[in-house]
Amino acid sequence: MKDVNEFTITQAVKESFRTEDGSRIQLLLNKLIEHLHDYTREVNLTHEEWMGVLTFLYDCGKISTPDRHEFILLSDVLGFSALVDMINTRGGATEGSNLGPFYLDNAPDMQLGDHLADGRDGVTVLVHGKVTDTLRNPLPGAIVDTWQADSSGTYPIQEEGQDKYDLRGKFVANDKGEYYYTTVLPKPYTVPYDGPVGDLLRAGNRHAWRAAHLHYIIRAAGMNAITTEVFFENTEYLDNDAVFGVRRSLIAKLEPVKPTDTFDFDLKIKPDAKFKFDFVLAPQG
Ligand code: BEZ
Ligand code: FE
């Protein structure tokens, strides 16, 4: 019989998994076990605390549905999602940021210059820029897939009676790699805080607000797709976004549009403001 104590148990558990030597799964499991055991020893976890953690995870599972993934939210507020984004950003490419829970993979195809927010109130804005590779060569045909909240901070998908495909669309960059469209500026909004993750935020005296942002997935043939967000200079919660999504390189400068301003782009409306944001993709491989 193998005797284990509070120190030798870590090695014993690692050895109990019969994974291939040097494999990725072996590394992932071994490190998980080491860090979990080290944490447990370091904080001297009590039975009550241990059961508290397990009940918390159980509650996260209980409130989750296909439309509400509480574990992703937990990962977000712990900075786990942001850390995975950070370590997977390729050198020279636009930094990655949260996917969030409101992405739909079949957003409507839009034409360059379209207005994404027909019939909606708010400050209208021209969004434009280029999609390039890391050497700044344009990527014609790149897909700019975007989704956003409205000017009150709500995603149409969150509201009964609204078209869930509103405020989202896919644009194709032109032969210079340019994209351009108009929309309304989104407002900050809260992540869902009526479940266990909300309890965690309250326990830590944290708020649930996200800085206002536009979501993007940018894809181009032969390049690594990026999932990211664009934020706006001098807006609320840039310093304390609830899911740690803000990076300096993802903050755009909004400029008012003057009555005398003209645009090289064919637009459907004359916007109140404008900003430019270039996306950079790294090659696959
Ligand atoms: C969002 O940006 O849409 C989002 C991100 C994390 C949690 C909830 C919402
Ligand atoms: Fe969002």
Side-chain angles (χ1 to χ4, degrees):
M1 155 222 155
K2 193 167 185 174
D3 194 16
V4 285
N5 62 36
E6 69 179 270
F7 297 105
T8 59
I9 189 168
T10 304
Q11 191 59 25
V13 176
K14 277 160 57 173
E15 283 171 6
S16 73
F17 287 96
R18 309 215 166 266
T19 48
E20 195 189 323
D21 270 354
S23 62
R24 179 78 178 155
I25 182 74
Q26 184 180 57
L27 177 72
L28 294 175
L29 278 173
N30 282 355
K31 289 292 163 192
L32 175 68
I33 295 157
E34 281 171 23
H35 288 283
L36 186 63
H37 285 206
D38 281 347
Y39 170 85
T40 309
R41 281 184 287 257
E42 193 176 329
V43 303
N44 252 318
L45 204 69
T46 66
H47 276 109
E48 290 71 27
E49 290 161 346
W50 165 77
M51 188 44 89
V53 171
L54 299 184
T55 305
F56 176 82
L57 293 176
Y58 177 81
D59 290 344
C60 286
K62 221 166 50 170
I63 203 169
S64 291
T65 65
D67 293 332
R68 175 168 186 169
H69 199 317
E70 195 77 358
F71 290 103
I72 294 182
L73 186 58
L74 177 61
S75 158
D76 292 342
V77 304
L78 291 178
F80 182 32
S81 315
L83 184 56
V84 174
D85 290 337
M86 288 167 192
I87 63 179
N88 285 287
T89 293
R90 301 293 179 102
T94 300
E95 290 189 88
S97 187
N98 298 70
L99 174 67
F102 301 126
Y103 176 64
L104 294 177
D105 63 7
N106 46 358
D109 293 325
M110 309 291 285
Q111 301 299 315
L112 291 175
D114 275 355
H115 187 51
L116 206 61
D118 270 337
R120 290 184 174 271
D121 295 337
V123 176
T124 53
V125 62
L126 163 66
V127 186
H128 70 112
K130 267 191 170 186
V131 185
T132 71
D133 65 16
T134 47
L135 300 173
R136 301 297 183 268
N137 297 308
L139 293 171
I143 308 293
V144 176
D145 190 351
T146 185
W147 67 107
Q148 64 167 97
D150 63 15
S151 58
S152 68
T154 309
Y155 286 81
I157 197 173
Q158 292 176 287
E159 285 204 324
E160 208 139 309
Q162 289 228 29
D163 179 352
K164 66 179 180 180
Y165 291 102
D166 258 11
L167 290 177
R168 61 182 75 226
K170 284 182 189 158
F171 296 89
V172 181
N174 67 14
D175 54 4
K176 295 184 205 141
E178 294 165 335
Y179 73 95
Y180 49 93
Y181 66 97
T182 54
T183 186
V184 288
L185 275 181
K187 275 270 159 54
Y189 61 87
T190 57
V191 301
Y193 58 89
D194 57 340
V197 172
D199 294 339
L200 179 68
L201 291 177
R202 278 182 288 277
N205 294 315
R206 282 178 55 181
H207 67 72
W209 287 93
R210 293 222 57 202
H213 56 271
L214 302 172
H215 287 275
Y216 291 96
I217 296 181
I218 314 292
R219 303 178 180 87
M223 313 302 284
N224 281 303
I226 49 167
T227 299
T228 194
E229 301 174 283
V230 173
F231 301 86
F232 312 104
E233 221 175 68
N234 301 321
T235 53
E236 275 182 295
Y237 309 113
L238 287 179
D239 288 335
N240 49 13
D241 180 57
V243 299
F244 306 92
V246 182
R247 323 264 180 273
R248 195 176 298 280
S249 70
L250 300 180
I251 302 178
K253 186 178 164 58
L254 264 182
E255 290 176 275
V257 169
K258 297 188 226 64
T260 50
D261 280 354
T262 54
F263 299 108
D264 298 338
F265 316 117
D266 207 4
L267 298 177
K268 300 274 164 32
I269 62 150
K270 177 145 188 183
D272 304 316
K274 60 181 177 179
F275 75 86
K276 184 168 189 288
F277 194 89
D278 293 334
F279 293 102
V280 180
L281 304 190
Q284 280 169 355

